[in-house]
């Protein structure tokens, strides 16, 4: 019997851009609005006015209203060359924005089954949100099964019907969405398959395919070069840590952006062991590194004129007999010492080394993201990332997050934490003596490792990167890929700036 190895790949819809609906289309996906007097259907090149009228009557007959994310499938009008029409609600036409469209396209793609070929006119309201919504909403992680299950159906393929001039936007959105899929797949892969070595090998193969430079440090190199944080976290596991460095170095680049992402392939808490219930969610503790790997891969595919270096510390946090003990003092890369009072605050230990290493290259910007604290969810809930860092860049990253539909909110670093981070036995301590401000304390810890003059943002995605409740819009259960689209959007912005 074959064994499952490497990341578990989810299925997602194939998309094409055409001027006309293809002959083999079985269904048309069209937009509906919620008007004052009920459902309204905007004109579409996919249906003649008589057929549109007939579809409208059928939709009224089954009670469709056009409210946002409502998906209604009806038999096709007599003269249409398809079997069915699928109408997706966009809500009030006056309130339509990119995120409403992205979510509606996602809701449609997620609910469509038993159809292979769909043509859609949703692109009339925005190409990129349509493409992203369809791919991300149609994504299905099908698990690792011995036989096909009820979720094993191949997602429908979509033809976005639009003018040729939409090509560039279409391709860029496809690259972006398919990169988010890479991040989701990595997050959804269980930790017996995805561990530092296998993860590093996978990233290396993917990165080389798109022309990135790859450097991997193994446990011996890490120890020799003084990566005390990564070594301290990885030493309790039989599966040793890695530091993966990916770089994109285009000729025309004016700016250099460093990306850093937390890559804990499983977080048991170490000797400060987590409770058993819910511990399985910690397969997602490498979501930050997955998003950063996905982002630099997207940047290469988009051929962005900006230099990017991703520094990804990968380790498994286990309570083995060689594990770090509470009270141990470690030396981070660059020399700062830290008293490890809680081995479950391991993310900041691996990130501190990675941030210090990334800072050596003197980038203009440093963006780091991590599933860092449970406190992030207490403060902001499961869908909104907390952003800390240099004030202007922090605010800019939070607002880019909101613009792309990955909600984010700026959070302060607290002056009192500058005192409480001090330790009696080392330069700093890895946990606060008090519970208050847990997300911000972690931000203060990381601040010590950011090089002078570098604009930095720390994005805590403990909640938003892994959806433990139901699917909605284009967001599935489990890995969401957040904040990949935020980071790609920021890279695009920086690449365009002078
Ligand atoms: N990986 C966790 C944070 C986390 C918790 C992410 C739940 C997603 C869901 C992190 O390593 C951790 O354990 N943080 C501790 C820090 C504490 C010991 C200061 C936490 O938040 O409890
Ligand atoms: Mn932890
Ligand atoms: Zn963790």
């Amino acid at each position: 019997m074959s064994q499952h190895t490497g990341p578990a790949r989810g299925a997602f819809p194939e998309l094409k851009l055409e001027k006309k609906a293809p002959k083999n289309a079985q269904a048309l996906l069209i937009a509906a609005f919620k008007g004052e007097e009920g459902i309204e259907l905007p004109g579409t090149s996919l249906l003649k006015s008589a057929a549109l009228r007939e579809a409208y009557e059928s939709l009224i007959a089954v009670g469709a209203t056009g409210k946002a994310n409502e998906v209604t499938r009806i038999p096709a009008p007599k003269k249409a060359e398809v079997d069915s029409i699928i109408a997706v609600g966009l809500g009030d036409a006056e309130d339509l924005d990119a995120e409403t469209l992205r979510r509606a396209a996602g809701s449609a793609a997620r609910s469509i089954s038993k159809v292979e070929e769909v043509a859609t006119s949703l692109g009339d309201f925005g190409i990129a949100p349509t493409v992203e919504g369809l791919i991300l909403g149609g994504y299905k992680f099908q698990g690792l099964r011995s036989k096909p299950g009820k979720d094993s159906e191949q997602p429908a393929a979509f033809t976005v019907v639009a003018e040729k001039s939409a090509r560039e936007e279409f391709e860029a959105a496809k690259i972006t969405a398919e990169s988010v899929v890479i991040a989701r797949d990595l997050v959804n892969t269980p930790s017996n398959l995805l561990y530092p070595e296998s993860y590093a090998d996978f990233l290396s193969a993917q990165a080389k395919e798109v022309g990135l430079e790859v450097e991997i440090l193994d446990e011996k190199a890490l120890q020799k070069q003084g990566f005390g944080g990564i070594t301290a976290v990885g030493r309790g596991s039989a599966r040793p840590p890695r530091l993966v460095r990916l770089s994109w170095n285009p000729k025309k680049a004016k700016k250099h952006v460093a990306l850093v992402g937390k890559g804990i392939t499983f977080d048991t808490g170490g000797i400060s062991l987590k409770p058993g219930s819910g511990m399985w969610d910690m397969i997602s503790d490498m979501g930050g590194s997955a998003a950063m790997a996905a982002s630099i891969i997207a940047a290469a595919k988009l051929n962005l004129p900006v230099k990017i270096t991703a520094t990804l510390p990968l380790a498994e946090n286990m309570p083995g007999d060689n594990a770090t003990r509470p009270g141990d003092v470690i030396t981070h890369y660059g020399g700062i010492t830290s008293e490890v009072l809680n081995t479950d605050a391991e993310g900041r230990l691996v990130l501190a080394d990675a941030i210090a290493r990334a800072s050596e290259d003197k980038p203009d910007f440093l963006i780091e993201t991590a599933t860092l604290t449970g406190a992030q969810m207490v403060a902001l809930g499961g869908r909104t990332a907390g952003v800390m860092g240099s004030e202007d860049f922090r605010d800019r990253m939070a607002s880019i997050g909101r613009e792309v539909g990955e909600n984010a909110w700026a959070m302060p670093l607290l002056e009192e934490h500058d005192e409480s981070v001090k330790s009696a036995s080392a330069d700093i301590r890895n946990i606060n003596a008090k519970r208050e401000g847990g997300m911000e304390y972690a931000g203060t810890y990381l601040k010590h490792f950011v090089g002078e003059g570098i604009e930095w943002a720390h994005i805590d995605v403990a909640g938003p990167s892994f959806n433990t409740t139901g699917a909605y819009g284009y967001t599935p259960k489990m890995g969401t890929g957040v904040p990949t689209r935020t980071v790609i959007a920021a890279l695009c912005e920086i690449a365009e700036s002078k």
Side-chain angles (χ1 to χ4, degrees), residues 186 196 199-200 203-204 207 212 215-217 222 230 241-246 258-264 286-297 309-315 350-351 353-355 357-358 367-369:
L186 286 165
Y199 189 8
L203 292 180
S204 167
L212 299 175
E215 180 198 8
I216 298 175
L217 302 187
L222 287 168
I230 301 171
R242 294 287 183 269
L243 181 69
V244 175
R245 301 249 303 158
L246 308 175
L259 304 178
V260 176
K262 173 175 173 181
I264 299 298
M286 31 55 68
S289 57
M292 288 317 197
S295 300
I296 192 171
I297 289 170
T309 314
T311 304
L312 312 172
L314 315 181
V350 300
L351 290 169
D353 282 11
I355 290 171
R357 174 62 191 88
I367 310 173
E368 170 271 309
T369 189

Side-chain angles (χ1 to χ4, degrees), residues 262 264 266-269 274 282 284-286 317 343-348 371-373:
K262 173 175 173 181
I264 299 298
F266 194 77
D267 182 13
T268 65
K274 287 182 182 295
M282 288 300 112
S284 66
D285 212 19
M286 31 55 68
N317 190 21
T343 63
D344 197 13
E346 85 297 341
R348 63 202 70 179
T371 48
L372 204 58
T373 66

